[in-house]
């Protein structure tokens, strides 16, 4: 509806000048993540016509999304925990009309996800306009959250302009330590899409298991997975990617190497140093351990066979995953493991260093990944590790992104100061596994007195949704540095997670990430808005649960029924 | 089979002298909680005959249990994570023959739960003998855990003598802050029974909601519950009690009072002091708050109507629940609440004290509960609170039990030193809700810097299964004092829990409690056996999941597949 555009602009200029009121109604007619600008001056709603339809340009990924959202808004009949008091107007809404400026934009990093949504009062038609189909999907989700009740009603006189603050908003899932079925992954992607998260970072392989079937190296999964029923076939991968495309979620594969590769030794023991050894030799110092946790094994950079196998893997993964980012790991290379290998011992006694080994490895693999037009993502260790790291000359800035996980904002700053783009997954804020105890057995700390420091977890305590919500990932950076921060990811490492607890570990905490990276964590006055977000997150968690996502509760129902009464300080945001 | 008894005795004398070996096989053919004595000298098994049957005396509660276990062992076909290597013998097992010495013993505190189980080699019949039907149910569970695989096989040449160390082994669930459906409660009781836990402590009501329909005071639930669909009817209660009886689980009701009664004010505002007030007045000191958390209201001991309503509740609850223990709460009486009431202000200005008020309350209610032959359980506060407590003369030792929750072993010691029986629910070890963050909103601690001390939870960090397993609840007590410790309960307060996370919050951590209270946490040499327990708990968690209990995982699958390799110190218990 191009002729409506000028009107839209006027409306949004208006709403920029007079920001929306923070109304308790908005926690009931609630969009999560909160749009950048939402104007709903009067609490008006209308019925959704039983013949309601969504019109859109035909597009292989958008059209399935349209069908899905149409079904959702017609059947969801969401009952808010705190029922909004609205005035019902007419006529019923008959149509949501979608227009997309550029139907060809691919689901790549930085693609335009902005949209505008206009649901005018007194109109049978609402309008969703986006630059790309991916923005249209974001707008469809917003629209779906504005519909509630049975018969379905929808907020009207409502205008949204929306666009994310950060282009990279992700969830990392480790499918190696424990296996997740394809259904688990699809359900996670579905929930991500509902939260406007756009990157599923799939930490597929690690030392514990190799669940990915790599066509040219079939033995890796055949021997290195947990079993034939715990593998991802090429068809599974294709299904997951397709599912993500229809929901605006990129599937970013990680094949961690050269560390975290113990499982590769089941097929190729000759290319893995220190495989299948006890991780922390009796009497050894912590610095002489063979792995960062039980499950030893690092690829041996000195063995030509290593590159033969690894390049087969890289080539197949590139073919399986169209995503232009390729995550290559390179975290937690432990000196003791490489030092345990005789060939490496010779290399070291000839004057080589462990960092030389890593440089050799990077130099033999990064150009190969780049040759497939891939941007390589590494964990920060490859540049920042205290012991084993490469010179930045080995890491071309145009082809390399570093993912930060230690030392909060400090390491993010070190990465961007060095001129690299950064993805933030600070373990102090964004690690979803922390605080549920240590998984390692036979630890003498558990004796009478029963101390359990920080939940017995290296990265404890548990990262609450508030901790995640309030983390400012560009804190302390200059404007230019901040522009190198692409976004962030919450991470679920699976030592103590599997299908049973997947949803409750991720949700609603990843929703906190979603909002903070989409529209920020501050109100128009610059004040942290977490207190105001509590009621809204309660409602959103409730809606996610009714959509089949087992998100954990954050408050007693009483708190939602009694707005403001569960605050620390008695301020009602109304 | 009385003629077999002498043979049994010989076998068990033998096994007392030569304790069972701690074998890695036992983590695969695994009974949780570990029996006091299990002898299985050779790894032998036989098939379970397709016509396998269980014979037992007819009993209204045992017979349904027998039918349930028969169905389970015939259909479960459990696949252990680590398949035990056994030698298969014949003949197939045709019958489990149950005999019970005393069919009339009621499911009360201290009832004999001991049993012996004999599965002889070369016999078509196994024998389960118990003093009571409740012991027989424990033995049936043990037998079911000795069956695995498809076709079903069962360990043979195996002898168990078993009996709990502590008579009171419970799970406390708060159904007021968030509501749980009857199905959730039944599933929890089912899982408790599988873990040989015997007390479901049902914290039914609190300030947030009053979900119990009390026949003579129907307005309490009608107005104080979260809604008509979030109430427990008398029929629901009867169903839960019946379900517990068929599983050897007592249902111990708690009607918390005089504190934690805000929800009563919806029906009777006149009997509740400080109801529906903001819990922490602006500018007030913490010591002047009106409640321990959002949701204010204490019954007013000065109003005769208070006792009229409360006695109706007590009488109805006594009629609904046959259980001889009655939990009356009496925790967290907050000075600010009572002080906010005008009638209490007069009482205080006339020279009365807040402790006088509590004494008046206890003196007006405890004898009434005792008149129904109830033993009254209170939280420790009633005797130990710093500010508001009663003199011990108000709490007859023969009718009163105190449940400890603060200061670990110290408060347990104070209770038993005062001559009272104690139930241990130390918040430092046994509170299952801790470590998932604070639920209170608008807390300024969440600002840049993002500190989240102890998970933002007053009782953080998260209590790991190891923390629970290794807690010695009688530590530092004399033998006579220790005999006053009836047992313990893990507690799930529901500020941040509901149906969605119920299973994963409770299991397998309540399993850790179950074993430590059933057979202890030490091996025959007195050494803590948690390291050895890890593999067994992994297997048990796996079995619980396949039985429909969403217990959280404690380790990567890799650890179970590689015994000993996930230890801190390389000791394999084989």
């Amino acid at each position: 509806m191009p002729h409506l555009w000028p009107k839209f602009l006027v409306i949004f200029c208006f709403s920029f000048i007079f920001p929306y009121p923070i109304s308790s109604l908005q926690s009931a007619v609630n969009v999560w993540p909160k749009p950048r600008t939402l104007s709903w001056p009067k609490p008006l709603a209308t019925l959704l016509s039983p013949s309601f339809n969504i019109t859109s340009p035909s597009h292989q990924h958008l059209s399935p999304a349209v069908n899905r959202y149409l079904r959702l808004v017609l059947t969801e009949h969401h009952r808010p925990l705190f029922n909004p008091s609205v005035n019902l107007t007419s006529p019923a809404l008959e149509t949501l009309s979608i227009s997309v400026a550029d139907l060809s934009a691919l689901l790549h990093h930085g693609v335009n996800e902005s949209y505008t949504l206009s649901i005018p009062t007194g109109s049978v038609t609402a309008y969703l306009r986006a630059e790309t189909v991916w923005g249209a999907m974001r707008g469809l989700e917003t629209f779906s959250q504005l519909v509630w009740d049975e018969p379905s009603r929808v907020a009207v006189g409502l205008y949204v302009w929306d666009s994310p603050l950060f282009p990279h908003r992700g969830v990392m899932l480790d499918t190696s330590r424990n296996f997740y079925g394809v259904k688990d992954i699809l359900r996670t992607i579905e929930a991500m899409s509902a939260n406007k998260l756009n990157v599923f970072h799939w930490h597929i392989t690690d030392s514990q298991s190799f669940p990915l079937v790599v066509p040219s190296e079939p033995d890796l999964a055949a021997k290195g997975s947990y079993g034939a029923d715990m593998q991802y076939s090429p068809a599974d991968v294709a299904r997951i990617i397709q599912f993500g495309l229809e929901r605006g979620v990129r599937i970013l594969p990680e094949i961690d190497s050269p560390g975290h590769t113990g499982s590769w030794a089941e097929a190729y023991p000759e290319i893995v140093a220190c495989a299948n050894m006890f991780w922390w030799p009796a009497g050894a110092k912590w610095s002489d351990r063979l792995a960062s946790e039980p499950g030893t094994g690092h690829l041996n950079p000195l063995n030509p066979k290593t590159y033969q196998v690894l390049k087969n893997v890289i080539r197949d993964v590139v073919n399986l995953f169209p995503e232009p980012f390729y995550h290559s790991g390179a975290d937690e290379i432990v000196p003791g493991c490489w030092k345990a290998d005789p060939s490496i011992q010779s290399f070291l006694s000839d004057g080589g260093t462990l960092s030389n080994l890593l440089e050799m490895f990077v130099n033999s693999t990064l150009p190969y990944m780049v040759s497939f037009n891939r941007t390589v993502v590494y964990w920060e260790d490859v540049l920042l590790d205290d012991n084993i790291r490469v010179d930045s000359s080995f890491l071309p800035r145009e082809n390399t992104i570093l993912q930060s996980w230690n030392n909060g904002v400090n390491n993010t700053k070190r990465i961007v100061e060095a001129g690299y783009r950064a993805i933030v997954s600070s373990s102090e804020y964004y690690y979803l596994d922390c605080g549920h105890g240590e998984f390692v057995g036979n630890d003498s700390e558990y004796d009478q007195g029963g101390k359990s420091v920080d939940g017995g977890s290296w990265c404890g305590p548990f990262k609450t949704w508030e901790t995640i919500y309030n983390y400012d990932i560009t804190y302390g950076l200059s404007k230019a540095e901040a522009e190198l921060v692409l976004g962030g990811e919450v991470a679920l490492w699976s030592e103590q997670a599997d299908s049973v607890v997947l949803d409750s570990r991720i949700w609603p905490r990843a929703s906190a990430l979603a909002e903070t990276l989409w529209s920020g964590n501050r109100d128009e006055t610059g004040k942290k808005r977490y207190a105001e977000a509590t009621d809204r997150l309660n409602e959103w968690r409730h809606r996610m649960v009714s959509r089949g996502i087992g998100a954990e509760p954050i408050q007693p129902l009483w708190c939602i029924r009694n707005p403001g009464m569960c605050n620390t300080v008695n301020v009602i945001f109304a």
Side-chain angles (χ1 to χ4, degrees), chain A residues 288-299:
Chain A
D288 289 332
R289 70 198 184 280
L290 300 185
S292 52
E293 67 179 53
T296 57
H298 288 9
L299 292 181

Side-chain angles (χ1 to χ4, degrees), chain A residues 23 51 101 249 284 413 443 445 526 538 558:
Chain A
S23 146
S51 59
V249 178
K413 191 168 175 68
D443 185 337
E445 84 168 310
N538 265 315
W558 189 87

Side-chain angles (χ1 to χ4, degrees), chain A residues 34-51:
Chain A
K34 200 180 187 86
R36 293 281 284 284
T37 306
L38 184 150
S39 166
W40 191 40
K42 294 179 191 165
L44 297 175
T46 192
L47 292 175
L48 204 68
S49 165
S51 59

Side-chain angles (χ1 to χ4, degrees), chain A residues 60 199 256 279 333 340 369 447 489 495 497 512-513:
Chain A
Q60 61 167 328
V199 181
D256 202 348
W279 70 294
I333 299 167
M369 296 182 269
D447 265 333
E489 296 175 2
E495 285 87 352
L513 178 89

Side-chain angles (χ1 to χ4, degrees), chain A residues 18-207:
Chain A
F18 303 94
Y20 52 85
I22 300 173
S23 146
S24 62
L25 278 168
Q26 286 200 7
S27 57
V29 179
N30 178 31
V31 180
W32 192 282
K34 200 180 187 86
R36 293 281 284 284
T37 306
L38 184 150
S39 166
W40 191 40
K42 294 179 191 165
L44 297 175
T46 192
L47 292 175
L48 204 68
S49 165
S51 59
F52 174 79
N53 199 11
I54 304 177
T55 63
S56 82
S58 173
H59 181 278
Q60 61 167 328
H61 304 310
L62 179 59
S63 297
V66 165
N67 293 336
R68 196 172 69 246
Y69 278 107
L70 179 58
R71 200 162 49 242
L72 180 69
V73 299
L74 288 174
T75 62
E76 187 176 22
H77 303 306
H78 176 67
R79 302 273 187 188
L81 294 169
F82 190 84
N83 210 30
S85 154
V86 296
N87 297 316
L88 211 58
T89 67
S90 59
L93 192 67
E94 295 287 348
T95 306
L96 174 65
S97 167
I98 302 178
S99 56
V100 176
D102 174 8
L103 283 167
S104 65
L106 297 175
L107 180 61
H108 285 173
H109 175 76
V111 72
N112 189 321
E113 295 175 88
S114 70
Y115 68 93
T116 56
L117 175 66
S118 164
I119 316 179
T121 312
S123 166
V124 296
T125 306
Y127 303 94
L128 169 60
R129 183 167 174 83
E131 282 300 306
T132 69
V133 297
W134 321 108
M137 291 181 193
R138 306 291 169 240
L140 278 165
E141 176 60 36
T142 295
F143 180 81
S144 78
Q145 295 184 26
L146 296 169
V147 178
W148 78 102
D149 219 343
E150 181 162 17
S152 299
R153 48 182 68 189
V154 57
V156 298
L158 184 147
Y159 307 91
V160 177
W161 171 84
D162 211 5
S163 184
L165 290 173
F166 290 94
H168 188 108
R169 307 175 308 279
V171 172
M172 192 221 79
L173 182 67
D174 158 21
T175 60
S176 170
R177 280 152 182 120
N178 279 310
F179 181 80
Y180 297 82
V182 171
K183 277 187 186 171
D184 294 320
I185 293 175
L186 299 184
R187 190 175 68 258
T188 301
I189 292 169
E190 178 88 48
M192 287 177 63
S193 175
N195 283 277
K196 297 186 172 70
L197 292 165
N198 64 355
V199 181
F200 178 72
H201 169 177
W202 188 359
H203 183 89
I204 312 178
T205 64
D206 211 297
S207 277

Side-chain angles (χ1 to χ4, degrees), chain A residues 207-241:
Chain A
S207 277
Q208 286 73 21
S209 76
F210 194 108
L212 182 69
V213 177
V214 175
S216 62
E217 294 289 353
D219 278 358
L220 287 170
K223 299 182 177 174
S225 75
Y226 280 139
D229 57 338
M230 290 189 267
Q231 298 176 359
Y232 304 107
S233 69
D236 292 334
V237 171
R239 185 174 167 210
I240 289 166
I241 290 168

Side-chain angles (χ1 to χ4, degrees), chain A residues 231-497:
Chain A
Q231 298 176 359
Y232 304 107
S233 69
D236 292 334
V237 171
R239 185 174 167 210
I240 289 166
I241 290 168
Q242 179 70 19
F243 193 90
L245 282 167
E246 293 176 1
R247 286 156 185 83
V249 178
R250 299 156 53 198
I251 313 298
L252 196 172
E254 177 183 354
I255 305 293
D256 202 348
S257 63
H260 292 282
T261 49
S263 59
W264 302 47
E266 302 305 310
Y268 296 109
E270 66 275 26
I271 69 172
V272 185
C274 98
N276 289 314
M277 295 176 71
F278 187 74
W279 70 294
W280 191 3
K285 285 179 295 184
W286 175 246
S287 58
D288 289 332
R289 70 198 184 280
L290 300 185
S292 52
E293 67 179 53
T296 57
H298 288 9
L299 292 181
N300 184 344
L302 296 176
N303 187 339
K305 180 87 182 278
T306 295
Y307 303 107
Q308 184 188 319
V309 174
L310 181 53
K311 286 184 174 181
N312 284 339
V313 171
I314 292 170
R315 194 181 59 250
D316 279 2
V317 169
V318 162
N319 285 333
L320 288 169
F321 293 85
E323 165 61 36
F325 285 13
Y326 181 104
H327 204 307
S328 192
D331 56 317
E332 296 191 307
I333 299 167
V334 175
C337 181
W338 270 347
K339 283 189 200 163
D341 186 272
S343 68
I344 293 175
Q345 285 161 7
S346 302
F347 175 84
L348 296 175
S349 58
D350 288 349
T353 68
L354 295 172
S355 287
N356 291 154
L357 272 183
L358 181 59
E359 288 173 346
M360 183 184 301
F361 181 84
V362 166
N363 217 25
S364 304
T365 51
L366 188 142
Y368 189 68
M369 296 182 269
V370 170
S371 76
F372 292 105
N373 288 318
R374 290 300 186 268
T375 298
V376 180
V377 188
Y378 289 115
W379 294 101
E380 63 182 15
D381 316 44
V382 73
L383 186 70
L384 302 184
D385 188 78
D386 285 341
N387 299 305
I388 307 178
R389 61 178 176 272
V390 307
D391 188 86
S392 63
S393 61
F394 288 85
L395 303 171
R397 285 165 182 77
E398 66 276 22
N399 304 122
T400 309
I401 295 170
L402 297 179
Q403 185 161 6
S404 172
W405 64 285
N406 288 299
N407 296 324
V409 290
N410 302 319
N411 276 13
T412 306
K413 191 168 175 68
R414 289 173 70 190
I415 290 166
V416 296
E417 275 180 347
Y420 291 94
R421 287 166 290 173
I423 296 167
V424 176
S425 292
S426 167
S427 56
E428 295 164 60
Y429 299 89
Y430 283 177
Y431 271 25
L432 301 178
D433 49 306
C434 305
H436 269 259
E438 197 65 81
F439 76 93
V440 179
N442 197 26
D443 185 337
S444 61
E445 84 168 310
Y446 293 100
D447 265 333
Q448 182 55 45
K451 289 178 193 62
S452 65
V453 182
D454 281 346
S457 164
W458 73 270
C459 57
F462 180 83
K463 310 310 170 197
T464 66
W465 78 264
E466 296 97 328
T467 300
I468 293 168
Y469 192 79
N470 285 288
Y471 185 43
D472 293 320
I473 61 173
T474 59
Y475 183 76
L477 305 185
S478 72
K479 191 163 182 301
E481 287 169 345
E483 279 169 7
L484 289 172
V485 177
L486 306 183
E489 296 175 2
V490 284
L492 182 58
W493 301 99
S494 296
E495 285 87 352
Q496 298 187 308

